[in-house]
Amino acid sequence: MLFRSIMLAFHNYHDVKGSFPAHASYDNDGKPLLSWRVHILPFLEQQALYEQFHLDEPWDSTHNRQLISKMPHLYVDPSSARSLEEGKTHYLGAKGESFVFKGTEKGKPLAGIRDGTSFTIMILQVNDQRATTWTKPDDWELDPKDTLAGLSGSMHPGGFLAGFADAHIEFISEDIDPKIFQHLLTVAGGEVVSREDY
């Protein structure tokens, strides 16, 4: 499964770097440059593509823009109508203050996921409308008024796929209790969640 390869790349990155990647790299002025999707390329057997990027430039610099159409096939859902050349990905990090991706330049180590890696969502498969340019530091953020915004109506009837911090993939029903879903997103909320809850 392509999604599973992405999750395993996170763990291989962690083995080398000591933490998961941050949601983006940043320049000295605190401006986000390139998405985590670029920085895990060496762990997806895409070292040659990684080396083509100017890592000190933003995703939309004159040079880096030319690489958008070279998006690896595993970043687009096979069931999607989108073409690979568009460079739009369905795999976004769950970004928020209490999530794995905090939205800062510091990546989260496994030890910081205190709610349990098998009950903490890292990556979400969004729908075609929410798909984003794969190199852009753009991730999914929770809308308290519409918990499943960008997720419902995906390529999988009745739900969407989520990648958990232990690298397993689960189908999440669109009927999930919004509170349970939010519990699965936090890294240290202390909530007790069982698989029967979703």
Side-chain angles (χ1 to χ4, degrees), residues 57-178:
E57 296 177 3
W59 69 278
D60 56 353
S61 70
T62 302
H63 174 82
N64 287 339
R65 268 203 314 265
Q66 300 174 55
L67 301 173
I68 291 172
S69 63
K70 296 187 177 184
M71 180 176 73
H73 72 282
L74 51 74
Y75 281 148
V76 65
D77 187 277
S79 305
S80 172
R82 288 192 174 278
S83 69
L84 195 61
E85 291 72 27
E86 284 182 82
K88 297 279 189 179
T89 182
H90 297 94
Y91 300 104
L92 278 62
K95 178 185 167 193
E97 177 62 31
S98 56
F99 301 169
V100 173
F101 294 98
K102 285 187 66 174
T104 67
E105 58 187 302
K106 190 171 183 181
K108 177 78 67 180
L110 274 168
I113 304 175
R114 296 197 293 275
D115 283 348
T117 56
S118 61
F119 291 101
T120 302
I121 292 173
M122 284 182 64
I123 305 296
L124 290 158
Q125 178 205 59
V126 300
N127 58 35
D128 268 347
Q129 292 71 40
R130 181 60 184 88
T132 193
T133 302
W134 74 283
T135 56
K136 183 179 181 180
D138 176 28
D139 285 295
W140 182 89
E141 297 184 58
L142 178 69
D143 179 351
K145 296 179 182 177
D146 186 2
T147 310
L148 300 185
L151 302 173
S152 56
S154 75
M155 285 66 62
H156 304 279
F160 53 93
L161 297 178
F164 286 72
D166 66 348
H168 87 275
I169 312 296
E170 291 235 13
F171 178 83
I172 305 293
S173 170
E174 291 178 2
D175 297 326
I176 188 172
D177 183 311

Side-chain angles (χ1 to χ4, degrees), residues 4-97:
R4 171 78 170 162
S5 297
I6 295 172
M7 300 312 300
L8 290 175
F10 272 105
H11 279 264
N12 291 333
Y13 182 104
H14 191 290
D15 288 345
V16 173
K17 309 280 190 178
S19 71
F20 290 125
H23 90 105
S25 53
Y26 286 75
D27 66 15
N28 292 333
D29 296 322
K31 178 183 176 182
L33 300 175
L34 290 161
S35 167
W36 58 264
R37 291 173 287 268
V38 173
H39 295 289
I40 67 168
L41 287 174
F43 303 92
L44 292 168
E45 299 182 354
Q46 295 282 343
Q47 180 70 33
L49 176 57
Y50 182 68
E51 290 176 356
Q52 292 180 53
F53 281 90
H54 289 177
L55 300 178
D56 59 346
E57 296 177 3
W59 69 278
D60 56 353
S61 70
T62 302
H63 174 82
N64 287 339
R65 268 203 314 265
Q66 300 174 55
L67 301 173
I68 291 172
S69 63
K70 296 187 177 184
M71 180 176 73
H73 72 282
L74 51 74
Y75 281 148
V76 65
D77 187 277
S79 305
S80 172
R82 288 192 174 278
S83 69
L84 195 61
E85 291 72 27
E86 284 182 82
K88 297 279 189 179
T89 182
H90 297 94
Y91 300 104
L92 278 62
K95 178 185 167 193
E97 177 62 31

